[in-house]
Amino acid sequence: MSLVKLNIKGISYSQTQNGAYALILNEVEGERKLPIVIGAFEAQSIAIALEKEIKPPRPLTHDLFKSFADRFEIVVKQVIIHKLVDGVFYSSIICERDKIEEIIDARTSDAIALALRFNAPIFTYKNILDKAGIFLKFSPKEEGEEEKESIIVDEILSGESAPKASDTSYKTYSLQELYTMLDGAVANEDYEKAAKIRDEISKRENN
């Protein structure tokens, strides 16, 4: 299976899930985005790593791990998002010490927070991006803006004006209707809904 390199597009606050954030990953050589729901603490840790000028008065958990690893000469070489099961992403941290490589299982949010601190690349497999990746459309204004490394928090996961659909509600729609709904969700920048619809499409196409 071929690996696809990813970078971080930004983080958006979800108003439909209290305290949840969506981490948006972007394939380096393509247009697809991979949205991953993460918690508030992990979002803060990733944001601080992205915003180089922010220095917390005391080290966060991921900063402590980085200091610990540095002291014992452990290097994080790369992070691989290697599995997707029922909408949950699973990741591995590839480490090296004394030229010996080790693979450590980790939550995707923790793995990415550490990858940023070690300047390690982030990858996923092509089949995972085929299943969960979506195309996001941006306005001309946004396309003309200068890219920033700082965190992007623009509450794009709003959807509060519409009732939140349950996962089971999508089972009653045809594939064609789901694709139409997916296009609509992406156009409205409702990435959380788009991810759920994409999951339902993937389940049917893989059966």
Side-chain angles (χ1 to χ4, degrees):
M1 292 183 289
S2 60
L3 286 171
V4 179
K5 190 174 182 179
L6 304 170
N7 58 23
I8 297 175
K9 181 66 179 178
I11 296 179
S12 296
Y13 178 65
S14 172
Q15 294 187 13
T16 59
Q17 291 190 33
N18 188 31
Y21 291 76
L23 173 64
I24 310 297
L25 300 175
N26 182 82
E27 62 176 328
V28 173
E29 298 181 359
E31 299 297 325
R32 287 176 295 182
K33 310 292 187 295
L34 194 64
I36 300 174
V37 176
I38 62 176
F41 171 78
E42 291 79 9
Q44 179 192 50
S45 182
I46 291 171
I48 288 174
L50 286 170
E51 193 64 66
K52 305 297 184 182
E53 296 180 0
I54 298 177
K55 299 293 182 183
R58 293 191 297 173
L60 299 177
T61 302
H62 299 112
D63 297 318
L64 177 60
F65 184 96
K66 174 66 163 60
S67 298
F68 183 90
D70 288 344
R71 182 66 59 90
F72 291 93
E73 299 181 346
I74 300 169
V75 178
V76 172
K77 305 293 289 185
Q78 63 182 1
V79 162
I80 300 177
I81 303 171
H82 64 85
K83 186 167 66 173
L84 172 62
V85 179
D86 295 331
V88 178
F89 293 91
Y90 294 78
S91 294
S92 294
I93 300 174
I94 315 300
C95 302
E96 186 179 276
R97 181 173 184 265
D98 294 334
K99 297 183 179 180
I100 298 174
E101 190 174 274
E102 299 286 350
I103 301 175
I104 300 175
D105 183 47
R107 296 188 307 169
T108 297
S109 54
D110 289 330
I112 291 174
L114 290 174
L116 285 169
R117 286 163 170 80
F118 283 89
N119 293 316
I122 303 166
F123 297 93
T124 191
Y125 289 109
K126 182 179 180 298
N127 66 322
I128 292 178
L129 197 57
D130 290 340
K131 289 180 182 178
I134 57 178
F135 289 93
L136 306 184
K137 300 175 183 178
F138 297 94
S139 68
K141 179 181 178 182
E142 288 173 319
E143 289 179 346
E145 291 177 349
E146 182 181 354
E147 288 284 61
K148 298 179 180 179
E149 288 186 350
S150 60
I151 198 64
I152 303 170
V153 182
D154 54 5
E155 299 181 353
I156 58 176
L157 293 177
S158 56
E160 60 184 346
S161 60
K164 184 179 179 182
S166 64
D167 295 343
T168 56
S169 66
Y170 297 121
K171 295 181 179 179
T172 61
Y173 295 94
S174 67
L175 265 178
Q176 184 59 46
E177 289 173 328
L178 288 173
Y179 275 111
T180 301
M181 292 169 65
L182 178 61
D183 290 339
V186 171
N188 292 327
E189 298 186 343
D190 189 347
Y191 306 144
E192 184 181 47
K193 180 179 179 182
K196 290 181 181 295
I197 296 172
R198 185 61 187 164
D199 286 345
E200 179 63 29
I201 291 173
S202 296
K203 286 179 185 177
R204 297 194 193 183
E205 291 182 337
N206 291 331
N207 288 339

